[in-house]
PDB file of all heavy atoms in Angstrom:
ATOM      1  N   ALA A   1       7.803 -11.806  -5.353  1.00 97.00           N
ATOM      2  CA  ALA A   1       7.781 -11.989  -3.901  1.00 97.00           C
ATOM      3  C   ALA A   1       6.963 -10.886  -3.230  1.00 97.00           C
ATOM      4  O   ALA A   1       6.192 -11.148  -2.292  1.00 97.00           O
ATOM      5  CB  ALA A   1       9.204 -12.014  -3.347  1.00 97.00           C
ATOM      6  N   LEU A   2       7.108  -9.665  -3.712  1.00 97.00           N
ATOM      7  CA  LEU A   2       6.337  -8.556  -3.167  1.00 97.00           C
ATOM      8  C   LEU A   2       4.845  -8.751  -3.454  1.00 97.00           C
ATOM      9  O   LEU A   2       3.999  -8.547  -2.578  1.00 97.00           O
ATOM     10  CB  LEU A   2       6.825  -7.233  -3.761  1.00 97.00           C
ATOM     11  CG  LEU A   2       6.160  -5.962  -3.253  1.00 97.00           C
ATOM     12  CD1 LEU A   2       6.297  -5.809  -1.741  1.00 97.00           C
ATOM     13  CD2 LEU A   2       6.740  -4.759  -3.981  1.00 97.00           C
ATOM     14  N   ALA A   3       4.511  -9.182  -4.665  1.00 97.00           N
ATOM     15  CA  ALA A   3       3.110  -9.431  -5.019  1.00 97.00           C
ATOM     16  C   ALA A   3       2.532 -10.536  -4.141  1.00 97.00           C
ATOM     17  O   ALA A   3       1.374 -10.444  -3.703  1.00 97.00           O
ATOM     18  CB  ALA A   3       3.000  -9.805  -6.499  1.00 97.00           C
ATOM     19  N   GLN A   4       3.311 -11.562  -3.863  1.00 98.00           N
ATOM     20  CA  GLN A   4       2.853 -12.645  -2.984  1.00 98.00           C
ATOM     21  C   GLN A   4       2.577 -12.120  -1.573  1.00 98.00           C
ATOM     22  O   GLN A   4       1.611 -12.534  -0.931  1.00 98.00           O
ATOM     23  CB  GLN A   4       3.884 -13.779  -2.934  1.00 98.00           C
ATOM     24  CG  GLN A   4       3.942 -14.605  -4.191  1.00 98.00           C
ATOM     25  CD  GLN A   4       2.650 -15.342  -4.470  1.00 98.00           C
ATOM     26  OE1 GLN A   4       1.974 -15.821  -3.566  1.00 98.00           O
ATOM     27  NE2 GLN A   4       2.282 -15.410  -5.739  1.00 98.00           N
ATOM     28  N   ALA A   5       3.416 -11.206  -1.108  1.00 98.00           N
ATOM     29  CA  ALA A   5       3.196 -10.623   0.225  1.00 98.00           C
ATOM     30  C   ALA A   5       1.881  -9.851   0.258  1.00 98.00           C
ATOM     31  O   ALA A   5       1.093  -9.990   1.205  1.00 98.00           O
ATOM     32  CB  ALA A   5       4.366  -9.708   0.608  1.00 98.00           C
ATOM     33  N   PHE A   6       1.610  -9.055  -0.780  1.00 97.00           N
ATOM     34  CA  PHE A   6       0.329  -8.340  -0.849  1.00 97.00           C
ATOM     35  C   PHE A   6      -0.830  -9.323  -0.898  1.00 97.00           C
ATOM     36  O   PHE A   6      -1.839  -9.138  -0.210  1.00 97.00           O
ATOM     37  CB  PHE A   6       0.270  -7.440  -2.092  1.00 97.00           C
ATOM     38  CG  PHE A   6       0.839  -6.071  -1.885  1.00 97.00           C
ATOM     39  CD1 PHE A   6       2.080  -5.738  -2.405  1.00 97.00           C
ATOM     40  CD2 PHE A   6       0.140  -5.101  -1.195  1.00 97.00           C
ATOM     41  CE1 PHE A   6       2.609  -4.475  -2.234  1.00 97.00           C
ATOM     42  CE2 PHE A   6       0.655  -3.832  -1.017  1.00 97.00           C
ATOM     43  CZ  PHE A   6       1.902  -3.516  -1.541  1.00 97.00           C
ATOM     44  N   ALA A   7      -0.705 -10.334  -1.731  1.00 96.00           N
ATOM     45  CA  ALA A   7      -1.792 -11.302  -1.900  1.00 96.00           C
ATOM     46  C   ALA A   7      -2.077 -12.070  -0.616  1.00 96.00           C
ATOM     47  O   ALA A   7      -3.202 -12.529  -0.411  1.00 96.00           O
ATOM     48  CB  ALA A   7      -1.451 -12.270  -3.034  1.00 96.00           C
ATOM     49  N   ALA A   8      -1.092 -12.193   0.255  1.00 98.00           N
ATOM     50  CA  ALA A   8      -1.272 -12.930   1.507  1.00 98.00           C
ATOM     51  C   ALA A   8      -2.073 -12.137   2.536  1.00 98.00           C
ATOM     52  O   ALA A   8      -2.584 -12.704   3.498  1.00 98.00           O
ATOM     53  CB  ALA A   8       0.092 -13.301   2.096  1.00 98.00           C
ATOM     54  N   LEU A   9      -2.195 -10.832   2.324  1.00 97.00           N
ATOM     55  CA  LEU A   9      -2.920  -9.980   3.271  1.00 97.00           C
ATOM     56  C   LEU A   9      -4.404  -9.979   2.924  1.00 97.00           C
ATOM     57  O   LEU A   9      -4.780  -9.783   1.773  1.00 97.00           O
ATOM     58  CB  LEU A   9      -2.346  -8.566   3.240  1.00 97.00           C
ATOM     59  CG  LEU A   9      -0.855  -8.489   3.583  1.00 97.00           C
ATOM     60  CD1 LEU A   9      -0.327  -7.088   3.332  1.00 97.00           C
ATOM     61  CD2 LEU A   9      -0.600  -8.918   5.011  1.00 97.00           C
ATOM     62  N   CYS A  10      -5.232 -10.191   3.928  1.00 94.00           N
ATOM     63  CA  CYS A  10      -6.670 -10.362   3.684  1.00 94.00           C
ATOM     64  C   CYS A  10      -7.497  -9.119   3.977  1.00 94.00           C
ATOM     65  O   CYS A  10      -8.570  -8.954   3.402  1.00 94.00           O
ATOM     66  CB  CYS A  10      -7.199 -11.514   4.544  1.00 94.00           C
ATOM     67  SG  CYS A  10      -6.426 -13.084   4.140  1.00 94.00           S
ATOM     68  N   GLU A  11      -7.056  -8.288   4.854  1.00 96.00           N
ATOM     69  CA  GLU A  11      -7.854  -7.141   5.287  1.00 96.00           C
ATOM     70  C   GLU A  11      -7.216  -5.832   4.828  1.00 96.00           C
ATOM     71  O   GLU A  11      -5.991  -5.712   4.847  1.00 96.00           O
ATOM     72  CB  GLU A  11      -7.966  -7.128   6.815  1.00 96.00           C
ATOM     73  CG  GLU A  11      -8.635  -8.353   7.400  1.00 96.00           C
ATOM     74  CD  GLU A  11     -10.076  -8.513   6.938  1.00 96.00           C
ATOM     75  OE1 GLU A  11     -10.765  -7.487   6.780  1.00 96.00           O
ATOM     76  OE2 GLU A  11     -10.494  -9.666   6.725  1.00 96.00           O
ATOM     77  N   PRO A  12      -8.044  -4.849   4.445  1.00 96.00           N
ATOM     78  CA  PRO A  12      -7.497  -3.552   4.044  1.00 96.00           C
ATOM     79  C   PRO A  12      -6.574  -2.937   5.107  1.00 96.00           C
ATOM     80  O   PRO A  12      -5.583  -2.303   4.758  1.00 96.00           O
ATOM     81  CB  PRO A  12      -8.748  -2.684   3.835  1.00 96.00           C
ATOM     82  CG  PRO A  12      -9.825  -3.657   3.506  1.00 96.00           C
ATOM     83  CD  PRO A  12      -9.508  -4.898   4.305  1.00 96.00           C
ATOM     84  N   GLU A  13      -6.886  -3.148   6.368  1.00 98.00           N
ATOM     85  CA  GLU A  13      -6.049  -2.596   7.439  1.00 98.00           C
ATOM     86  C   GLU A  13      -4.646  -3.213   7.405  1.00 98.00           C
ATOM     87  O   GLU A  13      -3.658  -2.534   7.691  1.00 98.00           O
ATOM     88  CB  GLU A  13      -6.688  -2.848   8.816  1.00 98.00           C
ATOM     89  CG  GLU A  13      -8.001  -2.134   9.019  1.00 98.00           C
ATOM     90  CD  GLU A  13      -9.207  -2.835   8.379  1.00 98.00           C
ATOM     91  OE1 GLU A  13      -9.100  -4.025   7.984  1.00 98.00           O
ATOM     92  OE2 GLU A  13     -10.253  -2.181   8.245  1.00 98.00           O
ATOM     93  N   GLN A  14      -4.576  -4.508   7.076  1.00 98.00           N
ATOM     94  CA  GLN A  14      -3.276  -5.181   6.963  1.00 98.00           C
ATOM     95  C   GLN A  14      -2.489  -4.624   5.782  1.00 98.00           C
ATOM     96  O   GLN A  14      -1.284  -4.399   5.884  1.00 98.00           O
ATOM     97  CB  GLN A  14      -3.458  -6.690   6.784  1.00 98.00           C
ATOM     98  CG  GLN A  14      -4.064  -7.393   7.971  1.00 98.00           C
ATOM     99  CD  GLN A  14      -4.395  -8.841   7.658  1.00 98.00           C
ATOM    100  OE1 GLN A  14      -4.730  -9.191   6.520  1.00 98.00           O
ATOM    101  NE2 GLN A  14      -4.296  -9.691   8.669  1.00 98.00           N
ATOM    102  N   VAL A  15      -3.165  -4.417   4.669  1.00 97.00           N
ATOM    103  CA  VAL A  15      -2.498  -3.869   3.486  1.00 97.00           C
ATOM    104  C   VAL A  15      -2.002  -2.458   3.788  1.00 97.00           C
ATOM    105  O   VAL A  15      -0.872  -2.101   3.444  1.00 97.00           O
ATOM    106  CB  VAL A  15      -3.434  -3.879   2.262  1.00 97.00           C
ATOM    107  CG1 VAL A  15      -2.763  -3.203   1.063  1.00 97.00           C
ATOM    108  CG2 VAL A  15      -3.844  -5.305   1.911  1.00 97.00           C
ATOM    109  N   GLU A  16      -2.823  -1.650   4.442  1.00 98.00           N
ATOM    110  CA  GLU A  16      -2.409  -0.293   4.793  1.00 98.00           C
ATOM    111  C   GLU A  16      -1.184  -0.307   5.696  1.00 98.00           C
ATOM    112  O   GLU A  16      -0.235   0.451   5.468  1.00 98.00           O
ATOM    113  CB  GLU A  16      -3.554   0.461   5.478  1.00 98.00           C
ATOM    114  CG  GLU A  16      -3.182   1.885   5.817  1.00 98.00           C
ATOM    115  CD  GLU A  16      -4.305   2.677   6.477  1.00 98.00           C
ATOM    116  OE1 GLU A  16      -5.481   2.312   6.307  1.00 98.00           O
ATOM    117  OE2 GLU A  16      -3.977   3.656   7.168  1.00 98.00           O
ATOM    118  N   ALA A  17      -1.182  -1.176   6.703  1.00 98.00           N
ATOM    119  CA  ALA A  17      -0.023  -1.266   7.607  1.00 98.00           C
ATOM    120  C   ALA A  17       1.224  -1.690   6.831  1.00 98.00           C
ATOM    121  O   ALA A  17       2.314  -1.139   7.041  1.00 98.00           O
ATOM    122  CB  ALA A  17      -0.315  -2.250   8.741  1.00 98.00           C
ATOM    123  N   PHE A  18       1.074  -2.658   5.925  1.00 98.00           N
ATOM    124  CA  PHE A  18       2.195  -3.125   5.118  1.00 98.00           C
ATOM    125  C   PHE A  18       2.730  -1.987   4.240  1.00 98.00           C
ATOM    126  O   PHE A  18       3.944  -1.757   4.163  1.00 98.00           O
ATOM    127  CB  PHE A  18       1.754  -4.322   4.273  1.00 98.00           C
ATOM    128  CG  PHE A  18       2.852  -4.944   3.458  1.00 98.00           C
ATOM    129  CD1 PHE A  18       3.964  -5.503   4.064  1.00 98.00           C
ATOM    130  CD2 PHE A  18       2.755  -5.003   2.081  1.00 98.00           C
ATOM    131  CE1 PHE A  18       4.976  -6.092   3.315  1.00 98.00           C
ATOM    132  CE2 PHE A  18       3.755  -5.591   1.322  1.00 98.00           C
ATOM    133  CZ  PHE A  18       4.864  -6.135   1.940  1.00 98.00           C
ATOM    134  N   LEU A  19       1.810  -1.259   3.596  1.00 98.00           N
ATOM    135  CA  LEU A  19       2.224  -0.137   2.756  1.00 98.00           C
ATOM    136  C   LEU A  19       2.959   0.927   3.574  1.00 98.00           C
ATOM    137  O   LEU A  19       3.976   1.472   3.132  1.00 98.00           O
ATOM    138  CB  LEU A  19       1.012   0.490   2.067  1.00 98.00           C
ATOM    139  CG  LEU A  19       0.451  -0.271   0.878  1.00 98.00           C
ATOM    140  CD1 LEU A  19      -0.912   0.286   0.484  1.00 98.00           C
ATOM    141  CD2 LEU A  19       1.406  -0.228  -0.297  1.00 98.00           C
ATOM    142  N   ARG A  20       2.448   1.229   4.772  1.00 98.00           N
ATOM    143  CA  ARG A  20       3.095   2.243   5.609  1.00 98.00           C
ATOM    144  C   ARG A  20       4.491   1.800   6.056  1.00 98.00           C
ATOM    145  O   ARG A  20       5.394   2.618   6.196  1.00 98.00           O
ATOM    146  CB  ARG A  20       2.221   2.577   6.818  1.00 98.00           C
ATOM    147  CG  ARG A  20       1.002   3.373   6.448  1.00 98.00           C
ATOM    148  CD  ARG A  20       0.199   3.802   7.674  1.00 98.00           C
ATOM    149  NE  ARG A  20      -1.007   4.488   7.296  1.00 98.00           N
ATOM    150  CZ  ARG A  20      -1.072   5.763   6.900  1.00 98.00           C
ATOM    151  NH1 ARG A  20       0.028   6.477   6.829  1.00 98.00           N
ATOM    152  NH2 ARG A  20      -2.227   6.299   6.571  1.00 98.00           N
ATOM    153  N   ASP A  21       4.664   0.496   6.274  1.00 98.00           N
ATOM    154  CA  ASP A  21       5.987  -0.026   6.630  1.00 98.00           C
ATOM    155  C   ASP A  21       6.923  -0.042   5.431  1.00 98.00           C
ATOM    156  O   ASP A  21       8.124   0.194   5.561  1.00 98.00           O
ATOM    157  CB  ASP A  21       5.878  -1.443   7.196  1.00 98.00           C
ATOM    158  CG  ASP A  21       5.298  -1.499   8.595  1.00 98.00           C
ATOM    159  OD1 ASP A  21       5.232  -0.448   9.268  1.00 98.00           O
ATOM    160  OD2 ASP A  21       4.911  -2.598   9.025  1.00 98.00           O
ATOM    161  N   LEU A  22       6.390  -0.317   4.265  1.00 98.00           N
ATOM    162  CA  LEU A  22       7.179  -0.527   3.059  1.00 98.00           C
ATOM    163  C   LEU A  22       7.595   0.769   2.379  1.00 98.00           C
ATOM    164  O   LEU A  22       8.699   0.871   1.847  1.00 98.00           O
ATOM    165  CB  LEU A  22       6.366  -1.386   2.076  1.00 98.00           C
ATOM    166  CG  LEU A  22       7.010  -1.801   0.772  1.00 98.00           C
ATOM    167  CD1 LEU A  22       8.179  -2.749   1.042  1.00 98.00           C
ATOM    168  CD2 LEU A  22       5.979  -2.482  -0.109  1.00 98.00           C
ATOM    169  N   CYS A  23       6.709   1.770   2.385  1.00 98.00           N
ATOM    170  CA  CYS A  23       6.890   2.963   1.567  1.00 98.00           C
ATOM    171  C   CYS A  23       7.148   4.205   2.402  1.00 98.00           C
ATOM    172  O   CYS A  23       6.710   4.296   3.541  1.00 98.00           O
ATOM    173  CB  CYS A  23       5.635   3.206   0.722  1.00 98.00           C
ATOM    174  SG  CYS A  23       5.199   1.841  -0.356  1.00 98.00           S
ATOM    175  N   THR A  24       7.797   5.170   1.768  1.00 98.00           N
ATOM    176  CA  THR A  24       7.959   6.481   2.394  1.00 98.00           C
ATOM    177  C   THR A  24       6.631   7.238   2.254  1.00 98.00           C
ATOM    178  O   THR A  24       5.805   6.892   1.399  1.00 98.00           O
ATOM    179  CB  THR A  24       9.054   7.302   1.696  1.00 98.00           C
ATOM    180  OG1 THR A  24       8.621   7.602   0.356  1.00 98.00           O
ATOM    181  CG2 THR A  24      10.388   6.560   1.671  1.00 98.00           C
ATOM    182  N   PRO A  25       6.428   8.281   3.050  1.00 98.00           N
ATOM    183  CA  PRO A  25       5.213   9.081   2.881  1.00 98.00           C
ATOM    184  C   PRO A  25       5.060   9.624   1.454  1.00 98.00           C
ATOM    185  O   PRO A  25       3.958   9.640   0.912  1.00 98.00           O
ATOM    186  CB  PRO A  25       5.379  10.210   3.904  1.00 98.00           C
ATOM    187  CG  PRO A  25       6.197   9.585   4.998  1.00 98.00           C
ATOM    188  CD  PRO A  25       7.177   8.690   4.262  1.00 98.00           C
ATOM    189  N   ALA A  26       6.150  10.029   0.832  1.00 98.00           N
ATOM    190  CA  ALA A  26       6.083  10.547  -0.539  1.00 98.00           C
ATOM    191  C   ALA A  26       5.666   9.453  -1.521  1.00 98.00           C
ATOM    192  O   ALA A  26       4.882   9.708  -2.451  1.00 98.00           O
ATOM    193  CB  ALA A  26       7.417  11.146  -0.957  1.00 98.00           C
ATOM    194  N   GLU A  27       6.160   8.244  -1.339  1.00 98.00           N
ATOM    195  CA  GLU A  27       5.768   7.128  -2.206  1.00 98.00           C
ATOM    196  C   GLU A  27       4.289   6.800  -2.035  1.00 98.00           C
ATOM    197  O   GLU A  27       3.582   6.553  -3.021  1.00 98.00           O
ATOM    198  CB  GLU A  27       6.620   5.890  -1.913  1.00 98.00           C
ATOM    199  CG  GLU A  27       8.067   6.046  -2.336  1.00 98.00           C
ATOM    200  CD  GLU A  27       8.992   4.992  -1.753  1.00 98.00           C
ATOM    201  OE1 GLU A  27       8.687   4.428  -0.675  1.00 98.00           O
ATOM    202  OE2 GLU A  27      10.035   4.737  -2.381  1.00 98.00           O
ATOM    203  N   LEU A  28       3.825   6.812  -0.788  1.00 98.00           N
ATOM    204  CA  LEU A  28       2.404   6.560  -0.532  1.00 98.00           C
ATOM    205  C   LEU A  28       1.529   7.625  -1.182  1.00 98.00           C
ATOM    206  O   LEU A  28       0.503   7.314  -1.788  1.00 98.00           O
ATOM    207  CB  LEU A  28       2.127   6.516   0.974  1.00 98.00           C
ATOM    208  CG  LEU A  28       2.659   5.303   1.711  1.00 98.00           C
ATOM    209  CD1 LEU A  28       2.499   5.490   3.217  1.00 98.00           C
ATOM    210  CD2 LEU A  28       1.953   4.045   1.246  1.00 98.00           C
ATOM    211  N   GLU A  29       1.951   8.875  -1.070  1.00 98.00           N
ATOM    212  CA  GLU A  29       1.189   9.972  -1.666  1.00 98.00           C
ATOM    213  C   GLU A  29       1.139   9.817  -3.185  1.00 98.00           C
ATOM    214  O   GLU A  29       0.079   9.999  -3.800  1.00 98.00           O
ATOM    215  CB  GLU A  29       1.808  11.317  -1.289  1.00 98.00           C
ATOM    216  CG  GLU A  29       1.051  12.495  -1.866  1.00 98.00           C
ATOM    217  CD  GLU A  29       1.661  13.833  -1.491  1.00 98.00           C
ATOM    218  OE1 GLU A  29       2.743  13.888  -0.883  1.00 98.00           O
ATOM    219  OE2 GLU A  29       1.033  14.848  -1.856  1.00 98.00           O
ATOM    220  N   ALA A  30       2.259   9.463  -3.799  1.00 98.00           N
ATOM    221  CA  ALA A  30       2.299   9.296  -5.255  1.00 98.00           C
ATOM    222  C   ALA A  30       1.378   8.167  -5.697  1.00 98.00           C
ATOM    223  O   ALA A  30       0.625   8.309  -6.677  1.00 98.00           O
ATOM    224  CB  ALA A  30       3.733   9.030  -5.716  1.00 98.00           C
ATOM    225  N   MET A  31       1.394   7.054  -4.983  1.00 98.00           N
ATOM    226  CA  MET A  31       0.520   5.933  -5.347  1.00 98.00           C
ATOM    227  C   MET A  31      -0.952   6.291  -5.133  1.00 98.00           C
ATOM    228  O   MET A  31      -1.804   5.979  -5.967  1.00 98.00           O
ATOM    229  CB  MET A  31       0.893   4.679  -4.561  1.00 98.00           C
ATOM    230  CG  MET A  31       2.199   4.072  -5.018  1.00 98.00           C
ATOM    231  SD  MET A  31       2.538   2.466  -4.282  1.00 98.00           S
ATOM    232  CE  MET A  31       2.883   2.900  -2.592  1.00 98.00           C
ATOM    233  N   ALA A  32      -1.252   6.957  -4.025  1.00 98.00           N
ATOM    234  CA  ALA A  32      -2.634   7.359  -3.741  1.00 98.00           C
ATOM    235  C   ALA A  32      -3.130   8.352  -4.792  1.00 98.00           C
ATOM    236  O   ALA A  32      -4.284   8.275  -5.225  1.00 98.00           O
ATOM    237  CB  ALA A  32      -2.738   7.950  -2.342  1.00 98.00           C
ATOM    238  N   ASP A  33      -2.263   9.269  -5.214  1.00 98.00           N
ATOM    239  CA  ASP A  33      -2.638  10.220  -6.262  1.00 98.00           C
ATOM    240  C   ASP A  33      -2.989   9.490  -7.554  1.00 98.00           C
ATOM    241  O   ASP A  33      -3.983   9.808  -8.207  1.00 98.00           O
ATOM    242  CB  ASP A  33      -1.506  11.212  -6.537  1.00 98.00           C
ATOM    243  CG  ASP A  33      -1.397  12.313  -5.503  1.00 98.00           C
ATOM    244  OD1 ASP A  33      -2.301  12.427  -4.644  1.00 98.00           O
ATOM    245  OD2 ASP A  33      -0.392  13.056  -5.545  1.00 98.00           O
ATOM    246  N   ARG A  34      -2.165   8.520  -7.921  1.00 98.00           N
ATOM    247  CA  ARG A  34      -2.433   7.772  -9.161  1.00 98.00           C
ATOM    248  C   ARG A  34      -3.776   7.063  -9.079  1.00 98.00           C
ATOM    249  O   ARG A  34      -4.575   7.102 -10.018  1.00 98.00           O
ATOM    250  CB  ARG A  34      -1.316   6.764  -9.436  1.00 98.00           C
ATOM    251  CG  ARG A  34      -0.020   7.433  -9.811  1.00 98.00           C
ATOM    252  CD  ARG A  34       1.067   6.395 -10.068  1.00 98.00           C
ATOM    253  NE  ARG A  34       2.355   7.042 -10.036  1.00 98.00           N
ATOM    254  CZ  ARG A  34       3.372   6.639  -9.291  1.00 98.00           C
ATOM    255  NH1 ARG A  34       3.268   5.571  -8.538  1.00 98.00           N
ATOM    256  NH2 ARG A  34       4.506   7.297  -9.318  1.00 98.00           N
ATOM    257  N   TRP A  35      -4.010   6.410  -7.946  1.00 98.00           N
ATOM    258  CA  TRP A  35      -5.262   5.657  -7.789  1.00 98.00           C
ATOM    259  C   TRP A  35      -6.460   6.598  -7.768  1.00 98.00           C
ATOM    260  O   TRP A  35      -7.524   6.285  -8.294  1.00 98.00           O
ATOM    261  CB  TRP A  35      -5.185   4.804  -6.534  1.00 98.00           C
ATOM    262  CG  TRP A  35      -6.391   3.946  -6.346  1.00 98.00           C
ATOM    263  CD1 TRP A  35      -7.273   4.000  -5.311  1.00 98.00           C
ATOM    264  CD2 TRP A  35      -6.867   2.903  -7.206  1.00 98.00           C
ATOM    265  NE1 TRP A  35      -8.266   3.064  -5.482  1.00 98.00           N
ATOM    266  CE2 TRP A  35      -8.034   2.375  -6.643  1.00 98.00           C
ATOM    267  CE3 TRP A  35      -6.410   2.373  -8.414  1.00 98.00           C
ATOM    268  CZ2 TRP A  35      -8.765   1.343  -7.228  1.00 98.00           C
ATOM    269  CZ3 TRP A  35      -7.135   1.339  -8.998  1.00 98.00           C
ATOM    270  CH2 TRP A  35      -8.291   0.833  -8.403  1.00 98.00           C
ATOM    271  N   LYS A  36      -6.289   7.776  -7.192  1.00 97.00           N
ATOM    272  CA  LYS A  36      -7.376   8.758  -7.069  1.00 97.00           C
ATOM    273  C   LYS A  36      -7.889   9.213  -8.426  1.00 97.00           C
ATOM    274  O   LYS A  36      -9.079   9.495  -8.573  1.00 97.00           O
ATOM    275  CB  LYS A  36      -6.847   9.970  -6.282  1.00 97.00           C
ATOM    276  CG  LYS A  36      -7.858  11.025  -5.951  1.00 97.00           C
ATOM    277  CD  LYS A  36      -7.242  12.266  -5.309  1.00 97.00           C
ATOM    278  CE  LYS A  36      -6.136  11.976  -4.324  1.00 97.00           C
ATOM    279  NZ  LYS A  36      -5.590  13.175  -3.689  1.00 97.00           N
ATOM    280  N   VAL A  37      -7.021   9.277  -9.433  1.00 98.00           N
ATOM    281  CA  VAL A  37      -7.457   9.788 -10.731  1.00 98.00           C
ATOM    282  C   VAL A  37      -8.081   8.711 -11.624  1.00 98.00           C
ATOM    283  O   VAL A  37      -8.755   9.037 -12.605  1.00 98.00           O
ATOM    284  CB  VAL A  37      -6.324  10.519 -11.497  1.00 98.00           C
ATOM    285  CG1 VAL A  37      -5.771  11.655 -10.662  1.00 98.00           C
ATOM    286  CG2 VAL A  37      -5.243   9.579 -11.946  1.00 98.00           C
TER     287      VAL A  37
END
């Protein structure tokens, strides 16, 4: 269900807003760190 919600979003700005609503700042930082490497 969560994957379907992501897949339904078309624009990076929508995904960013969804992530900010869904995750804590620490969770966002951890995911961004993983992607950065």
Side-chain angles (χ1 to χ4, degrees):
L2 182 58
Q4 287 297 323
F6 273 105
L9 301 172
C10 298
E11 299 298 324
E13 295 80 14
Q14 294 172 328
V15 176
E16 182 179 337
F18 184 62
L19 283 168
R20 288 185 184 282
D21 287 345
L22 183 66
C23 302
T24 66
E27 291 166 334
L28 289 172
E29 181 180 7
M31 288 189 290
D33 282 351
R34 291 180 197 127
W35 183 242
K36 185 186 321 182
V37 303

